[in-house]
Amino acid sequence: MSTGGTGHAEADRGEQGGVRTALAGLTTRGRSFLAAGVAAAICAYVLGQSDLLRVGLLLAVLPLVCATVLYRTRYRVAGSRRLSPARVPAGSEARVHLRMDNVSRLPTGLLMLQDRVPYVLGPRPRFVLDRVEAGGRREVSYRVRSDLRGRYPLGPLQLRLSDPFGMCELTRSFSTYDTLTVIPRVEPLPPVRLTGEAKGYGDGRQRSLALAGEDDVIPRGYRYGDDLRRVHWRLTARYGELMVRREEQPQRSRCTVLLDTRGLAFQGAGPDSAFEWAVSGAASALVHMLERGFSVRLLTDTGSSVPAEGADGFAGANQESADAAGLMMDTLAVIDHSDGTGLSRAYDVLRGGNEGLLVAFFGDLDEEQAAVAAKMRQRSGGAVAFLLDSETWVREPTDVAGPLDRSEERLRMLREAGWTALSVPRGASLEELWRQADRERAGVVAATGGEGPS
């Protein structure tokens, strides 16, 4: 949940020019009364009718008195907003809770509450609040929903004051606003084995390479608070001081999720486009690998890595998985097409080696970029690629014979390099493709009698 800041609206403070502000708040009814009164007064003067003059003055004065009284009314109202939740998947609803507090000593009149929301989230919510007693409180709520990911501002909250005759309305705006983050849809994935555990990339964690058995072969000096059961007595006698065995230092397995965002690699737009499927797939893979205990990072074709903290840009052991997932989901919520033309920057980031599992979501690949992607396999302990030929997502199946042949050629190049590569048809389920990747990898391992290419 997210709690918005509290703002105050005072009905006795105008921005500029009290009289001008009051007159600007006249409603259609108020303006009509004022115009009718002026016209009646002019006619009474011309015709010499004193009774008509009194009627005209009454009609003209009534809206002016209402505007003056409303403008001079002294009460203060505090408002706050709370989002539940503040981060919601695309297609899901979030509820916005509004709270109004009368912090003055006088009761309020009729209040009309309106919150500003982007058009994509739905219609602008409006509420009518009855008289709020001194120190009283009113709470209302509304729902918002978006099929498009992004960050959407909510607010500022507007309070409209009206007199009992409906002659004048004044608007007071609060200064605070909140942001609703719509993240990509996350699809639950089955816990399959996509990498060889013999290489240290599997469920749970891998041990540090410096370990040998249960204890480190290199002891260290005793520190206050160390367990005496770990004292190495033989080395203690040799060095003349207490020496203890180092405890096992687990290291989290690594996973890099590579998302191709090149604008030229994807066609079409909207929630059902190939690019949105790739973004949703990357989000699902990130959440799944975090749940399995991996240290993960999000990498794009531009070479940018999220999170940037931790060893080598991965979510380190000192960073909670929930925080890392939130940071990457926020990045995917606003990610857009890049102007890049190749994957070389992402390859440069992966050139360090020891990258663990690599899960990639590629758009259209020409022969040159397919060769770059093939070389990425050499820098990982295991590699799974989902290849989206976006042309098949925007055309009818009878018109894509040529693109299908090209897609098969790209898949062949990746598989020969050691990738577990799958083509993604329009509307495919990532869960089923995830299982298929596991079956294909198991077939490769069985055929080679080992862990497959590395």
Side-chain angles (χ1 to χ4, degrees):
M1 295 184 180
S2 173
T3 303
T6 300
H8 295 269
E10 298 188 11
D12 61 332
R13 295 183 182 178
E15 293 180 358
Q16 291 180 354
V19 177
R20 184 181 303 175
T21 303
L23 293 178
L26 289 176
T27 63
T28 302
R29 179 184 299 178
R31 295 177 187 272
S32 300
F33 267 65
L34 182 59
V38 172
I42 294 176
C43 291
Y45 177 77
V46 173
L47 300 176
Q49 298 290 330
S50 59
D51 292 338
L52 183 59
L53 178 60
R54 285 191 289 269
V55 173
L57 291 177
L58 176 63
L59 292 177
V61 169
L62 181 60
L64 298 178
V65 171
C66 290
T68 302
V69 171
L70 182 64
Y71 180 79
R72 298 295 298 175
T73 300
R74 293 178 176 271
Y75 55 81
R76 301 176 65 229
V77 178
S80 63
R81 181 190 299 102
R82 178 170 56 89
L83 307 183
S84 177
R87 185 187 291 119
V88 62
S92 300
E93 291 184 344
R95 183 168 289 275
V96 183
H97 301 269
L98 302 177
R99 171 178 162 179
M100 304 300 298
D101 294 275
N102 183 9
V103 296
S104 66
R105 298 181 180 180
L106 298 176
T108 70
L110 188 67
L111 302 178
M112 288 176 286
L113 197 62
Q114 177 177 277
D115 204 8
R116 289 186 177 180
V117 300
Y119 176 78
V120 70
L121 296 182
R124 180 171 295 183
R126 294 180 175 90
F127 304 93
V128 177
L129 304 181
D130 293 332
R131 178 178 179 272
V132 182
E133 65 278 6
R137 172 189 306 171
R138 297 291 186 271
E139 294 184 1
V140 294
S141 65
Y142 64 93
R143 295 179 296 180
V144 291
R145 178 182 181 274
S146 174
D147 291 327
L148 300 175
R149 56 186 176 81
R151 291 174 62 88
Y152 301 101
L154 299 178
L157 190 64
Q158 291 183 332
L159 190 64
R160 301 177 67 184
L161 315 176
S162 177
D163 67 281
F165 300 101
M167 297 289 180
C168 183
E169 289 183 355
L170 296 181
T171 301
R172 294 290 182 264
S173 295
F174 295 85
S175 58
T176 58
Y177 67 93
D178 290 277
T179 302
L180 176 68
T181 303
V182 181
I183 63 175
R185 293 183 179 91
V186 176
E187 186 175 349
L189 300 179
V192 300
R193 296 182 178 181
L194 295 178
T195 54
E197 294 189 10
K199 294 189 176 185
Y201 304 97
D203 299 330
R205 304 167 183 267
Q206 69 176 31
R207 295 184 179 181
S208 174
L209 296 178
L211 299 179
E214 292 297 324
D215 301 316
D216 199 323
V217 296
I218 304 178
R220 60 170 174 81
Y222 176 82
R223 298 172 185 170
Y224 178 77
D226 285 339
D227 191 347
L228 292 177
R229 289 175 297 181
R230 302 197 63 81
V231 173
H232 198 299
W233 297 109
R234 182 180 303 174
L235 292 177
T236 296
R238 177 183 302 175
Y239 291 105
E241 61 176 331
L242 284 176
M243 305 293 292
V244 297
R245 301 180 179 91
R246 291 186 181 180
E247 296 182 354
E248 181 179 321
Q249 302 294 327
Q251 180 180 350
R252 300 181 72 177
S253 305
R254 291 178 172 182
C255 175
T256 297
V257 176
L258 173 61
L259 176 61
D260 183 5
T261 64
R262 295 172 299 139
L264 55 81
F266 293 94
Q267 299 181 27
D272 298 326
S273 64
F275 181 69
E276 292 301 322
W277 192 99
V279 173
S280 177
S284 303
L286 287 168
V287 172
H288 176 71
M289 302 312 293
L290 277 172
E291 291 176 347
R292 290 188 60 185
F294 280 67
S295 283
V296 300
R297 69 173 172 182
L298 171 66
L299 180 64
T300 67
D301 58 286
T302 62
S304 61
S305 178
V306 180
E309 300 178 359
D312 300 328
F314 287 83
N318 59 345
Q319 187 173 8
E320 295 294 336
S321 296
D323 295 338
L327 180 59
M328 288 181 284
M329 290 300 105
D330 289 345
T331 302
L332 289 175
V334 297
I335 201 168
D336 203 355
H337 293 295
S338 69
D339 298 329
T341 59
L343 302 172
S344 57
R345 293 183 180 179
Y347 174 71
D348 291 339
V349 176
L350 296 171
R351 291 179 65 179
N354 193 24
E355 299 297 338
L357 174 63
L358 176 60
V359 181
F361 295 85
F362 293 120
D364 297 334
L365 296 177
D366 56 25
E367 185 174 358
E368 179 182 357
Q369 300 310 316
V372 175
K375 292 189 295 182
M376 294 181 183
R377 173 63 182 88
Q378 304 171 1
R379 304 296 179 178
S380 62
V384 181
F386 298 96
L387 186 60
L388 293 91
D389 194 329
S390 61
E391 204 167 343
T392 64
W393 286 64
V394 297
R395 294 188 180 184
E396 294 299 326
T398 55
D399 300 332
V400 295
L404 283 177
D405 295 339
R406 184 182 61 186
S407 178
E408 289 297 329
E409 176 64 21
R410 304 298 179 255
L411 288 173
R412 183 189 61 80
M413 293 179 62
L414 294 179
R415 288 167 179 166
E416 289 180 352
W419 286 82
T420 301
L422 299 176
S423 178
V424 181
R426 180 168 54 183
S429 169
L430 179 60
E431 178 183 2
E432 186 58 36
L433 291 174
W434 197 260
R435 296 182 186 275
Q436 182 180 348
D438 177 56
R439 292 193 296 267
E440 291 197 7
R441 178 201 164 274
V444 172
V445 172
T448 58
E451 291 296 331
S454 60

